[in-house]
Amino acid sequence: MNNKMPWNGYAQNQVMPVNNMPMSNMPMSSMPMSSMPMSGMVPMSNMGMVQGAMTPPPVTNGMPITPGGTVLPAVPTEESYVENILRMNLGKVATLYMTYENNSEWNAKIFKGVLEAAGRDHIIISDPVTGKRYLLLMLNLDYITFDEPINYTLPFGSMPTR
């Protein structure tokens, strides 16, 4: 099987037609829009090498690009999620109320412990008496209570609540 990419024969600074057909052999009126000069051309100098084969240039994901090709920096957005609020309160004792559907042993369970970590889908707490650690899924979380004030800073520089 031939593993060569169709554009391997082009020189480093040549412009490669997208449809791999020489531009001189195709009348401009019969070219598909994707093959038109400028919009359908990929400068060979912007391509990278992967295991000896040319690869297309990297594409930014979700980043705005000007017509000149400059990538504009994205404005960071701060969002209020349970995981972020829990991260602001690591080290505090929390009581987590969890429910487990279709469980014949127990449908609801309460966990109390020191918040050690929080991720998008999990919370890790430890029991200060036994030292036992629990990895709990956010999927089962109903609500959380604290016996002390919690740290919470609203997004975009609003006044913090303590």
Side-chain angles (χ1 to χ4, degrees), residues 13 41 52 55 70 80 90-91 102 104 113-114 136 138 140 144-145 148 153:
N13 290 323
M41 306 297 269
T55 58
T70 305
S80 179
L90 295 179
N102 302 321
S104 59
V114 177
L136 305 169
M138 290 275 200
N140 304 110
I144 303 171
T145 62
E148 60 182 297
T153 304

mmCIF file of all heavy atoms in Angstrom, residues 13 41 52 55 70 80 90-91 102 104 113-114 136 138 140 144-145 148 153:
data_model
loop_
_atom_site.group_PDB
_atom_site.id
_atom_site.type_symbol
_atom_site.label_atom_id
_atom_site.label_comp_id
_atom_site.label_asym_id
_atom_site.label_seq_id
_atom_site.Cartn_x
_atom_site.Cartn_y
_atom_site.Cartn_z
ATOM 1 N N ASN A 13 8.096 25.954 -0.613
ATOM 2 C CA ASN A 13 7.394 27.239 -0.645
ATOM 3 C C ASN A 13 6.388 27.350 -1.778
ATOM 4 O O ASN A 13 5.886 28.413 -2.048
ATOM 5 C CB ASN A 13 8.397 28.394 -0.723
ATOM 6 C CG ASN A 13 9.159 28.533 0.567
ATOM 7 O OD1 ASN A 13 8.599 28.336 1.634
ATOM 8 N ND2 ASN A 13 10.437 28.823 0.473
ATOM 9 N N MET A 41 -6.122 27.569 -1.466
ATOM 10 C CA MET A 41 -4.700 27.295 -1.554
ATOM 11 C C MET A 41 -4.102 27.221 -0.156
ATOM 12 O O MET A 41 -4.450 27.988 0.713
ATOM 13 C CB MET A 41 -3.989 28.392 -2.349
ATOM 14 C CG MET A 41 -4.611 28.608 -3.719
ATOM 15 S SD MET A 41 -4.477 27.173 -4.760
ATOM 16 C CE MET A 41 -2.953 27.540 -5.543
ATOM 17 N N GLY A 52 7.565 11.864 8.219
ATOM 18 C CA GLY A 52 7.996 12.002 6.840
ATOM 19 C C GLY A 52 6.918 12.440 5.872
ATOM 20 O O GLY A 52 7.186 12.590 4.698
ATOM 21 N N THR A 55 1.616 17.392 6.543
ATOM 22 C CA THR A 55 0.300 17.455 7.160
ATOM 23 C C THR A 55 -0.244 18.860 7.013
ATOM 24 O O THR A 55 0.519 19.818 6.943
ATOM 25 C CB THR A 55 0.370 17.100 8.657
ATOM 26 O OG1 THR A 55 1.269 17.988 9.296
ATOM 27 C CG2 THR A 55 0.809 15.665 8.856
ATOM 28 N N THR A 70 -4.659 36.403 11.476
ATOM 29 C CA THR A 70 -4.222 36.605 12.850
ATOM 30 C C THR A 70 -5.251 36.008 13.805
ATOM 31 O O THR A 70 -6.439 36.236 13.671
ATOM 32 C CB THR A 70 -4.070 38.117 13.153
ATOM 33 O OG1 THR A 70 -3.197 38.684 12.187
ATOM 34 C CG2 THR A 70 -3.528 38.336 14.549
ATOM 35 N N SER A 80 -19.570 30.113 37.351
ATOM 36 C CA SER A 80 -19.828 29.609 38.686
ATOM 37 C C SER A 80 -20.399 28.205 38.603
ATOM 38 O O SER A 80 -21.546 28.011 38.219
ATOM 39 C CB SER A 80 -20.801 30.543 39.415
ATOM 40 O OG SER A 80 -21.068 30.053 40.693
ATOM 41 N N LEU A 90 -11.706 24.241 49.909
ATOM 42 C CA LEU A 90 -10.936 23.054 50.266
ATOM 43 C C LEU A 90 -10.428 23.193 51.695
ATOM 44 O O LEU A 90 -10.068 24.278 52.140
ATOM 45 C CB LEU A 90 -9.764 22.852 49.304
ATOM 46 C CG LEU A 90 -10.146 22.554 47.850
ATOM 47 C CD1 LEU A 90 -8.895 22.400 46.997
ATOM 48 C CD2 LEU A 90 -11.018 21.315 47.744
ATOM 49 N N GLY A 91 -10.430 22.093 52.421
ATOM 50 C CA GLY A 91 -9.975 22.095 53.800
ATOM 51 C C GLY A 91 -11.081 22.303 54.810
ATOM 52 O O GLY A 91 -10.876 22.134 56.009
ATOM 53 N N ASN A 102 -32.325 3.138 42.456
ATOM 54 C CA ASN A 102 -32.368 1.684 42.265
ATOM 55 C C ASN A 102 -31.379 0.927 43.155
ATOM 56 O O ASN A 102 -30.838 -0.091 42.759
ATOM 57 C CB ASN A 102 -32.132 1.325 40.793
ATOM 58 C CG ASN A 102 -33.137 1.971 39.885
ATOM 59 O OD1 ASN A 102 -34.312 2.072 40.221
ATOM 60 N ND2 ASN A 102 -32.688 2.436 38.736
ATOM 61 N N SER A 104 -31.094 -1.154 46.478
ATOM 62 C CA SER A 104 -31.935 -1.819 47.472
ATOM 63 C C SER A 104 -31.369 -1.691 48.890
ATOM 64 O O SER A 104 -32.096 -1.772 49.862
ATOM 65 C CB SER A 104 -32.098 -3.296 47.112
ATOM 66 O OG SER A 104 -30.832 -3.910 47.061
ATOM 67 N N GLY A 113 -17.133 15.134 55.901
ATOM 68 C CA GLY A 113 -15.683 15.060 55.906
ATOM 69 C C GLY A 113 -15.046 16.351 55.431
ATOM 70 O O GLY A 113 -15.734 17.312 55.068
ATOM 71 N N VAL A 114 -13.721 16.344 55.417
ATOM 72 C CA VAL A 114 -12.941 17.500 54.982
ATOM 73 C C VAL A 114 -12.823 17.448 53.459
ATOM 74 O O VAL A 114 -12.423 16.426 52.890
ATOM 75 C CB VAL A 114 -11.532 17.480 55.635
ATOM 76 C CG1 VAL A 114 -10.693 18.632 55.123
ATOM 77 C CG2 VAL A 114 -11.649 17.523 57.146
ATOM 78 N N LEU A 136 -16.546 10.612 45.695
ATOM 79 C CA LEU A 136 -17.996 10.665 45.464
ATOM 80 C C LEU A 136 -18.274 11.273 44.098
ATOM 81 O O LEU A 136 -17.611 12.238 43.690
ATOM 82 C CB LEU A 136 -18.665 11.483 46.566
ATOM 83 C CG LEU A 136 -18.378 11.002 47.995
ATOM 84 C CD1 LEU A 136 -18.865 12.020 49.012
ATOM 85 C CD2 LEU A 136 -19.018 9.648 48.232
ATOM 86 N N MET A 138 -20.373 13.466 41.449
ATOM 87 C CA MET A 138 -21.292 14.618 41.404
ATOM 88 C C MET A 138 -22.676 14.191 40.932
ATOM 89 O O MET A 138 -23.668 14.810 41.289
ATOM 90 C CB MET A 138 -20.766 15.697 40.466
ATOM 91 C CG MET A 138 -19.560 16.418 40.962
ATOM 92 S SD MET A 138 -20.042 17.755 42.035
ATOM 93 C CE MET A 138 -18.575 18.744 41.967
ATOM 94 N N ASN A 140 -24.483 11.886 41.866
ATOM 95 C CA ASN A 140 -25.354 11.505 42.973
ATOM 96 C C ASN A 140 -25.565 12.615 43.989
ATOM 97 O O ASN A 140 -26.329 12.455 44.935
ATOM 98 C CB ASN A 140 -24.772 10.282 43.691
ATOM 99 C CG ASN A 140 -24.559 9.124 42.752
ATOM 100 O OD1 ASN A 140 -23.432 8.766 42.450
ATOM 101 N ND2 ASN A 140 -25.633 8.542 42.262
ATOM 102 N N ILE A 144 -25.042 20.268 49.545
ATOM 103 C CA ILE A 144 -23.937 20.264 50.499
ATOM 104 C C ILE A 144 -24.210 21.329 51.551
ATOM 105 O O ILE A 144 -24.685 22.420 51.216
ATOM 106 C CB ILE A 144 -22.596 20.582 49.804
ATOM 107 C CG1 ILE A 144 -22.330 19.585 48.684
ATOM 108 C CG2 ILE A 144 -21.440 20.597 50.794
ATOM 109 C CD1 ILE A 144 -21.144 19.941 47.812
ATOM 110 N N THR A 145 -23.899 21.015 52.804
ATOM 111 C CA THR A 145 -23.987 22.031 53.865
ATOM 112 C C THR A 145 -22.621 22.173 54.519
ATOM 113 O O THR A 145 -21.807 21.237 54.518
ATOM 114 C CB THR A 145 -25.034 21.660 54.941
ATOM 115 O OG1 THR A 145 -24.650 20.443 55.568
ATOM 116 C CG2 THR A 145 -26.419 21.551 54.347
ATOM 117 N N GLU A 148 -19.713 26.329 58.751
ATOM 118 C CA GLU A 148 -19.036 27.620 58.850
ATOM 119 C C GLU A 148 -19.277 28.393 57.554
ATOM 120 O O GLU A 148 -19.723 27.810 56.559
ATOM 121 C CB GLU A 148 -17.539 27.420 59.088
ATOM 122 C CG GLU A 148 -16.837 26.641 57.973
ATOM 123 C CD GLU A 148 -15.368 26.402 58.241
ATOM 124 O OE1 GLU A 148 -14.629 27.399 58.323
ATOM 125 O OE2 GLU A 148 -14.980 25.226 58.369
ATOM 126 N N THR A 153 -16.537 33.789 45.568
ATOM 127 C CA THR A 153 -16.319 35.037 44.853
ATOM 128 C C THR A 153 -17.104 34.960 43.556
ATOM 129 O O THR A 153 -16.877 34.065 42.744
ATOM 130 C CB THR A 153 -14.825 35.236 44.544
ATOM 131 O OG1 THR A 153 -14.105 35.172 45.769
ATOM 132 C CG2 THR A 153 -14.576 36.577 43.885
#
